[in-house]
């Protein structure tokens, strides 16, 4: 930590607090992990998030090395009424992990995972990325229900609901959490499960980071892999009408072990696609079959034999490898803007719009994406947890991605226009974790629906002063 005589941090009442050197020294003594100030080695790494559209400067960062550091930091923040922010993987598109002038809890040094293969439970610390959990659970032939990109943080994903290749079989990620350790606004460590602090447990499974700092998550695990049938098949975009029809038909009858994705985008410079196709518009089906391999090979055969693909890497492969295939097309440090809706079905009129808007993509990195979700999540009651959206069968994501600030307007406009035109096909619901910075209360309502009122009550009990507010904030009420 640099020797500074004082520094200003934002307070919860909107004022600024002058943190004098002796106060900072005293705080440092209460920590095991490093306390970083602007200019310190690692400070910029901590404050930088995945989406380069977001550039905020916290006042100070604690790189927590254990639950005790989290407790000490929350208590310190409360003592001086400081604004707090919490960074898991920093992947949230709206940059909710970081806030100007805040005390940031950077959880990224807490990446331990403990697997109980007998009980089929993994306990993961909340700085973990998906790859950390996959790596440890796959040692035992098990997997948690997590997302599609291995570098995504598990915590923001889980607190907002979460979905991935196993969702059709087992439901939202949050449906598969059996317990969480939480440091409350009072700086106390509590456990939340269906038997202990059940109201808090309910709120945490979809209501985001509104109720405390989560330090550990217990996930239910399932036998998966070590090999699955997974990967992608690509065709030129001129084949899109037929490929979308294939997707639609297959998705409607697919067993839960099969999850199908569809993307339209300029072909990325991936080694499995011919060089002369790079940058040209393509349509891609992605698949994961996590049941018996021989069955899976038969089930994906119609995809592989359809028309004349320009690339095909839909093969037997380790589950952990499949989980990394989309990492390269979602790098940290590009500019991103998404618009997203849940869909109850895919109808021909939707397919036409999807193809029309994909053809208007403005950047070599953008994509129009469909992900199949239908299955277990549709069978759970709506009030089970705030993740809700139990009628969602697909998610549409209009994912704009580009490199330079001067291209912001045209790329954001593409996503907005496509969304405006395709919103008519929505369930009316959207995914809280895909909301961008400019999406306000109306979109939060769309994401949380009727659960929002109950969440406000849970918030009033566990965080009445709204200490945890750098998130999709739920105001305490009732
Ligand atoms: C490339 C990419 C791929 C994605 N793929 C998927 C996918 O397949 N499935 C899916 O469901 N989602 C996916 N997402 C969305 C993802 O769920 C969100 O971006 C999520 O926020 C990531 O979690 P994180 O820990 O990195 O979040 P962060 O950005 O670190 O934090 C997000 C929010 O969670 C809060 N938070 C973080 N840690 C804690 C904690 N310990 N305690 C309390 N609150 C905390 C933060 O304060 C913040 O409000 C993807 C995102 C990206 C960028």
């Amino acid at each position: 930590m640099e020797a500074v005589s004082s520094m200003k941090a934002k307070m919860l009442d909107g004022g600024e607090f002058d943190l004098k050197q002796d106060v900072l020294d005293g705080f440092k003594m209460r920590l095991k992990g490093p306390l970083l100030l602007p200019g310190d080695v690692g400070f910029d790494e901590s404050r930088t998030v995945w989406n380069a559209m977001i550039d905020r400067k916290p006042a100070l960062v604690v790189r927590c090395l254990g639950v005790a550091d989290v407790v000490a930091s929350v208590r310190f923040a409360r003592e001086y009424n400081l604004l707090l922010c919490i960074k898991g993987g920093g992947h949230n598109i709206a940059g909710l992990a970081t806030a100007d002038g805040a005390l940031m809890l950077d959880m990224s040094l807490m990446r331990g995972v403990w697997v109980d293969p007998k009980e089929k439970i993994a306990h993961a610390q909340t700085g973990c990325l998906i790859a950390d959990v996959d790596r440890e659970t796959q040692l035992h032939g098990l997997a948690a229900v997590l997302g599609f990109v291995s570098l995504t943080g598990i915590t923001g994903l889980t607190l907002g609901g979460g979905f991935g290749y196993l969702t059709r079989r087992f439901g939202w990620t949050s449906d598969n959490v059996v317990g969480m350790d939480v440091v409350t606004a009072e700086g106390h460590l509590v456990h939340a499960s269906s038997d202990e602090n059940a109201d808090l447990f309910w709120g945490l499974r979809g209501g985001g980071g509104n109720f405390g700092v989560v330090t550990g998550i217990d996930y239910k695990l399932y036998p998966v892999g070590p090999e699955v049938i997974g990967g992608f098949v690509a065709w030129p975009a001129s084949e899109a009408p037929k490929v979308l029809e294939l997707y639609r038909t297959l998705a409607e009858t697919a067993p839960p072990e099969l999850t199908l994705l569809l993307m339209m985008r300029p072909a990325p410079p991936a080694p499995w696609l011919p060089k002369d196709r790079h940058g040209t518009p393509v349509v891609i089906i992605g698949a994961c079959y996590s049941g018996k391999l021989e069955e899976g090979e038969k089930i994906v055969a119609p995809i592989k034999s359809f028309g004349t693909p320009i690339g095909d890497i839909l093969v037997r492969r380790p589950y952990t490898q499949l989980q990394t295939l989309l990492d390269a097309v979602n790098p940290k440090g590009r500019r991103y803007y998404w618009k997203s809706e849940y869909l109850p079905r895919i109808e021909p009129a939707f397919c036409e719009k999807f193809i029309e808007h994909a053809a208007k993509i403005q950047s070599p990195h953008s994509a129009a994406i469909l992900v199949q979700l239908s299955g277990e999540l549709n069978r759970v009651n709506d009030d089970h947890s705030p993740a809700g959206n139990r009628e969602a069968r697909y998610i549409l994501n209009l994912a704009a991605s580009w490199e330079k600030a001067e291209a912001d307007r045209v790329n954001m406009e593409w996503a907005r226009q496509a969304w405006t035109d395709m919103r008519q096909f929505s369930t009316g619901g959207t995914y809280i974790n895909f909301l961008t910075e400019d999406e306000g209360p109306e979109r939060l309502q769309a994401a949380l629906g009727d659960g929002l009122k109950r969440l406000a009550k849970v918030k009033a009990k566990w965080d009445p002063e709204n200490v945890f507010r750098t998130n999709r904030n739920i105001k305490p009420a009732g």
Side-chain angles (χ1 to χ4, degrees):
M1 189 170 76
E2 271 182 357
V4 287
S5 55
S6 74
M7 65 151 338
K8 301 227 188 306
K10 238 187 210 165
M11 298 172 74
L12 290 180
D13 60 11
E16 279 190 335
F17 187 81
D18 216 355
L19 281 164
K20 299 265 192 277
Q21 186 68 53
D22 58 332
V23 174
L24 290 170
D25 287 344
F27 184 29
K28 199 180 174 192
M29 300 285 285
R30 286 150 70 174
L31 299 169
K32 188 165 148 201
L35 172 64
L36 304 178
L37 298 182
D40 286 350
V41 174
F43 180 87
D44 279 335
E45 191 194 325
S46 280
R47 80 171 184 89
T48 306
V49 293
W50 170 78
N51 185 358
M53 300 274 279
I54 312 292
D55 179 21
R56 302 199 192 110
K57 297 183 178 66
L60 59 169
V61 172
V62 177
R63 300 202 75 198
C64 298
L65 263 179
V67 178
D69 277 354
V70 175
V71 170
S73 302
V74 171
R75 290 183 181 171
F76 178 78
R78 295 308 309 275
E79 218 173 300
Y80 296 98
N81 204 25
L82 303 180
L83 180 67
L84 271 173
C85 64
I86 311 153
K87 184 181 174 198
H91 259 61
N92 183 274
I93 182 141
L96 296 176
T98 180
D100 287 328
L103 162 54
M104 172 187 270
L105 302 191
D106 175 357
M107 306 298 285
S108 64
L109 297 180
M110 291 175 60
R111 287 172 68 173
V113 181
W114 294 267
V115 179
D116 180 339
K118 248 192 179 160
E119 295 296 323
K120 298 196 178 63
I121 301 283
H123 177 81
Q125 288 184 311
T126 49
C128 282
L129 307 182
I130 290 174
D132 300 324
V133 179
D134 284 344
R135 181 175 161 83
E136 297 300 330
T137 53
Q138 278 290 282
L139 261 187
H140 305 277
L142 299 169
V145 181
L146 293 166
F148 297 99
V149 175
S150 82
L151 303 176
T152 311
I154 61 162
T155 307
L157 181 142
T158 306
L159 293 174
F163 60 85
Y165 286 119
L166 303 176
T167 295
R168 296 202 61 228
R169 293 176 69 185
F170 309 116
W172 297 128
T173 300
S174 59
D175 293 343
N176 292 285
V177 170
V178 293
M180 295 201 200
D181 298 320
V182 187
V183 175
T184 66
E186 296 303 318
H188 300 308
L189 176 63
V190 300
H191 189 68
S193 69
S194 51
D195 303 326
E196 245 177 296
N197 301 309
D199 58 339
L200 177 62
F201 185 53
W202 179 85
L204 289 165
R205 288 174 298 152
N210 268 285
F211 311 103
V213 187
V214 180
T215 57
I217 306 178
D218 299 327
Y219 292 101
K220 223 191 262 184
L221 304 176
Y222 300 94
V224 169
E227 281 196 319
V228 294
I229 312 289
F232 301 97
V233 181
W235 300 263
S238 54
E239 298 298 308
K242 286 188 226 148
V243 174
L244 261 125
E245 187 49 30
L246 172 74
Y247 179 81
R248 199 169 82 85
T249 321
L250 289 178
E252 270 169 19
T253 54
E257 288 82 1
L258 180 66
T259 294
L260 294 170
L261 277 55
L262 185 136
M263 277 170 262
M264 288 193 70
R265 55 165 299 156
W272 64 280
L273 291 167
K275 266 205 174 112
D276 61 345
R277 298 283 186 167
H278 293 176
T280 67
V282 290
V283 55
I284 300 172
I285 290 184
C288 169
Y289 185 87
S290 60
K292 286 215 172 73
L293 297 178
E294 298 72 25
E295 284 288 299
E297 273 162 347
K298 279 187 219 144
I299 287 173
V300 303
I303 306 173
K304 292 171 75 73
S305 62
F306 189 77
T308 314
I310 56 168
D312 176 357
I313 48 164
L314 179 51
V315 294
R316 284 186 188 208
R317 62 171 80 243
Y319 176 70
T320 47
Q321 192 189 75
L322 174 67
Q323 289 283 81
T324 65
L325 289 187
L326 290 170
D327 290 359
V329 290
N330 292 287
K332 182 175 175 180
R334 259 200 226 134
R335 303 175 82 79
Y336 293 93
Y337 185 81
W338 294 349
K339 280 288 189 185
S340 183
E341 291 292 324
Y342 287 125
L343 309 177
R345 69 190 74 80
I346 295 180
E347 36 193 299
F350 167 84
C351 295
E352 278 173 32
K353 291 280 179 200
F354 187 85
I355 294 168
E356 178 191 326
H357 287 286
K360 296 179 186 165
I361 279 176
Q362 297 292 316
S363 152
H365 308 305
S366 296
I369 303 167
L370 272 175
V371 177
Q372 192 188 8
L373 301 170
S374 57
E376 184 57 25
L377 77 87
N378 307 122
R379 286 187 272 279
V380 176
N381 286 340
D382 228 355
D383 63 355
H384 171 269
S385 61
N389 289 289
R390 302 287 169 185
E391 66 283 31
R393 290 178 184 272
Y394 298 87
I395 187 164
L396 164 71
N397 195 16
L398 300 153
S401 167
W402 63 101
E403 284 169 38
K404 300 240 158 63
E406 53 264 33
D408 284 1
R409 197 189 54 78
V410 32
N411 284 287
M412 291 165 78
E413 217 29 53
W414 168 73
R416 283 194 193 120
Q417 276 179 12
W419 171 73
T420 305
D421 205 16
M422 282 193 267
R423 233 185 140 178
Q424 58 182 303
F425 301 102
S426 169
T427 60
T430 189
Y431 182 32
I432 192 169
N433 278 343
F434 283 4
L435 295 180
T436 40
E437 204 186 1
D438 57 358
E439 294 187 296
E442 184 204 333
R443 297 292 282 159
L444 186 63
Q445 179 70 51
L448 295 172
D450 292 343
L452 198 51
K453 279 197 191 116
R454 186 167 160 194
L455 282 166
K457 284 189 188 158
V458 180
K459 178 80 172 176
K461 177 171 165 197
W462 289 92
D463 184 18
E465 291 171 60
N466 201 10
V467 172
F468 302 108
R469 60 178 69 177
T470 55
N471 43 42
R472 287 290 161 192
N473 198 231
I474 295 160
K475 301 274 179 307

